[in-house]
Amino acid sequence: MLFPKKLTIEEWDARYQELARNGLREAHYGGPLGRHLAIEGNLRLRRLRFDNSTASLRLWNFLLTENERLRQARERGEKIVGAMKDLGTVPVMAYSLPGMRTFYPDGAWWTPCLMECSDGLLNQAEALGIDASFCPVRAMLAAFQNGEHFPRPDLLLCSTGAVCDDFSAIAQRLERLGFPIAWWEMPRRRAAEAGEEGCRLPGGLVAPRIQIDGAQEELARLAVMLGDLAGHRLEAPLLARGIREANRVRRLLAALRQAAYGSPAAPLPALEMLIAEMLALHFCSDRDESIKVLAGLLAEARTRARQGRWIVPPDAVRVYWINPVADLRAMNLIEDWGGRICGSDYMFTHALDLIPEDLPPLEALARTALADPMVGSSQDRAARVVAECRTSKAEAVVLSRIPGASHCAREGLLIRERVRDELGIPSVELEIPPLCDSLLPTLQSRIQALIETARSRRPPGVVPR
Ligand code: SF4
């Protein structure tokens, strides 16, 4: 049964009025979605199609009020930390301390998409010496300078070492513009050599003990800086509690991914699932609230799955998606063109894995940071993709390239070869710019060709479940 409907923003606002008349109860940041278009200028919302549940309404409002909530936190005297590049490690530490919020300025890479480039950030970045040969994360540079998108952090932390050239250059430029950065070293993950002690990481990889010790030392240095800012030492019991809370988020996400990707058909749309997965990174600046948002989505997904209410036909092709999309609209399009997401690697699979609770907390975090798919070889990443495709019964793989991204020029090819050799399923690699509208005919024909190829490989009358 196809039941939950995707709504335009106008349809959502009409539904919102009806829900409000019927006594809808909302979080303090609630309200109609249309205000994010009319007041904040998020023009891309006109092109997106949204899930019609109140759980998804809460998710969108949570996402789109982040900067406002950060400013309110600043007014209350809370400290704000900008974490850059590590994706999921520093926030676990910062949220262990009282009166502290962390966000990723890197998240500004979606601003040109959301504002349909009316923000001018990409052009401003170019004027600051970072042109289109860099990936859209360069929007962050201009956002720092114009101060219009997020509050200036009290402390700015950035991992270095095993970091792409783009980010490294942009962060160095940022520092030269007068934004002091505390750098911390993340080694490039390698396998343990003969005679070296190896330690298991979340997700199943193994790294040499010496690398874990090195990362742990760096995190200990960050703990002192964070503690100084908070006026409260970040001692092991406090961090252990922060890890347990972060794992609550990760457990909820695991259950949600299982419900959304593991059901016979999709009970929640790919777009809302992408946003939900991102909450793992820094809890969208409010850890307790992110738990409530995820719990609401999980309840909705389970109810729909129990009732057989799907957002795309049950015979939609099961697609494993790699990399976040610069244009959020792409996640609507995959469903419009006959696919459904059955698994994902949005570049932060390590932030979905549980942080070990039976190790000294800093070591547990160091192991988690080293499991980052972007600090090791593309072959490691490919191996996890293949394993997840297998368990999720993926029928096709989409690898969305990020324009200008330098993190690995050959990564797409390597992953696709591995997928072909080990699974024999079709894949496609395509570039999705911040606004993909002008590429729609090309994207449509390439994705539909993939979907049709996958469909044609099914035994007659069989839909993988
Ligand atoms: S998308 Fe790739 S190139 Fe751009 S910042 Fe992220 S890892 Fe670096």
Side-chain angles (χ1 to χ4, degrees):
M1 178 176 24
L2 262 181
F3 200 73
K5 192 173 171 285
K6 287 192 215 164
L7 305 179
T8 63
I9 195 150
E10 291 82 11
E11 288 170 333
W12 234 124
D13 279 357
R15 172 166 161 70
Y16 182 86
Q17 297 307 331
E18 192 188 322
L19 287 167
R21 276 195 299 276
N22 291 326
L24 173 69
R25 292 168 67 104
E26 291 187 275
H28 62 91
Y29 50 81
L33 290 184
R35 75 192 197 279
H36 304 296
L37 167 64
I39 300 171
E40 293 144 33
N42 289 317
L43 302 174
R44 199 61 178 157
L45 302 183
R46 295 174 305 183
R47 296 269 175 217
L48 303 182
R49 298 294 175 266
F50 305 88
D51 181 60
N52 70 349
S53 67
T54 53
S56 292
L57 172 71
R58 185 174 188 163
L59 173 75
W60 279 104
N61 275 326
F62 188 47
L63 175 78
L64 295 170
T65 56
E66 182 178 10
N67 292 333
E68 191 184 320
R69 289 184 285 104
L70 278 172
R71 291 204 164 85
Q72 290 163 357
R74 155 86 30 91
E75 282 162 18
R76 286 194 301 271
E78 294 182 37
K79 300 294 185 198
I80 295 180
V81 174
M84 298 197 292
K85 197 67 195 91
D86 69 279
L87 296 186
T89 302
V90 166
V92 177
M93 302 173 77
Y95 284 99
S96 301
L97 287 160
M100 192 166 273
R101 311 251 158 191
T102 308
F103 75 105
Y104 280 98
D106 329 10
W109 87 300
W110 261 318
T111 306
C113 162
L114 277 172
M115 300 185 74
E116 292 197 334
C117 294
S118 60
D119 51 286
L121 290 179
L122 296 179
N123 288 341
Q124 289 167 38
E126 192 151 348
L128 295 168
I130 302 289
D131 64 16
S133 62
F134 291 81
C135 86
V137 86
R138 66 201 164 101
M140 169 184 81
L141 189 65
F144 264 106
Q145 228 210 8
N146 70 25
E148 292 169 11
H149 297 274
F150 46 71
R152 184 171 178 153
D154 298 295
L155 175 64
L156 202 46
L157 304 171
C158 185
S159 63
T160 183
V163 169
C164 61
D165 292 346
D166 290 53
F167 209 96
S168 179
I170 294 167
Q172 288 174 61
R173 187 88 186 91
L174 184 62
E175 191 168 46
R176 291 286 296 271
L177 288 172
F179 296 87
I181 295 173
W183 305 90
W184 63 282
E185 179 83 17
M186 168 54 64
R188 185 174 190 282
R189 187 183 61 239
R190 62 172 174 81
E193 291 171 2
E196 249 187 339
E197 183 191 351
C199 299
R200 187 158 288 277
L201 309 179
L205 292 166
V206 173
R209 159 66 64 189
I210 192 172
Q211 290 200 315
I212 289 160
D213 290 347
Q216 188 178 331
E217 272 177 34
E218 286 296 87
L219 295 181
R221 205 163 56 77
L222 297 188
V224 172
M225 284 186 231
L226 291 167
D228 287 348
L229 181 64
H232 201 294
R233 281 174 61 131
L234 182 51
E235 287 174 340
L238 208 53
L239 183 55
R241 197 166 71 205
I243 286 175
R244 286 196 296 277
E245 289 301 304
N247 277 343
R248 279 181 71 193
V249 173
R250 293 175 187 216
R251 283 194 181 91
L252 271 169
L253 262 173
L256 180 61
R257 292 177 93 237
Q258 178 57 35
Y261 301 152
S263 291
L268 284 179
L271 176 56
E272 278 75 9
M273 281 302 296
L274 167 65
I275 310 289
E277 289 200 30
M278 280 163 35
L279 299 191
L281 302 181
H282 67 285
F283 321 116
C284 204
S285 296
D286 187 334
R287 192 182 56 196
D288 294 342
E289 189 59 30
S290 70
I291 288 172
K292 291 177 192 158
V293 170
L294 290 173
L297 288 169
L298 177 59
E300 182 70 30
R302 283 179 171 164
T303 302
R304 288 180 179 181
R306 208 170 38 246
Q307 297 173 347
R309 297 160 60 211
W310 315 118
I311 51 98
V312 288
D315 71 342
V317 165
R318 300 174 67 86
V319 173
Y320 188 95
W321 195 285
I322 302 172
N323 290 340
V325 283
D327 186 350
L328 294 169
R329 188 179 180 197
M331 302 318 286
N332 281 159
L333 296 175
I334 184 71
E335 291 172 341
D336 294 348
W337 295 335
R340 66 164 286 205
I341 301 298
C342 68
S344 59
D345 170 347
Y346 294 133
M347 281 186 168
F348 51 81
T349 46
H350 64 304
L352 303 174
D353 293 329
L354 289 182
I355 306 165
E357 294 182 18
D358 56 351
L359 291 171
L362 272 180
E363 180 181 342
L365 266 188
R367 290 196 194 207
T368 306
L370 266 166
D372 184 338
M374 307 314 288
V375 307
S377 78
S378 297
Q379 290 294 1
D380 284 350
R381 192 176 182 205
R384 180 163 178 155
V385 166
V386 166
E388 290 192 356
C389 282
R390 209 171 255 134
T391 51
S392 64
K393 300 194 181 80
E395 299 172 272
V397 171
V398 174
L399 202 146
S400 64
R401 259 201 332 267
I402 296 160
S406 70
H407 57 256
C408 175
R410 281 175 43 81
E411 176 188 68
L413 185 65
L414 290 171
I415 294 176
R416 290 181 65 205
E417 278 176 359
R418 194 89 178 251
V419 165
R420 184 197 61 207
D421 294 349
E422 296 191 33
L423 302 172
I425 59 175
S427 67
V428 70
E429 182 174 4
L430 25 90
E431 186 164 289
I432 301 199
L435 297 177
C436 69
D437 303 349
S438 62
L439 294 178
L440 282 191
T442 312
L443 289 177
Q444 182 167 10
S445 59
R446 295 191 68 199
I447 288 185
Q448 284 186 332
L450 178 82
I451 299 285
E452 287 315 311
T453 305
R455 211 184 281 282
S456 70
R457 298 175 73 254
R458 286 176 177 170
V462 174
V463 177
R465 295 282 162 99

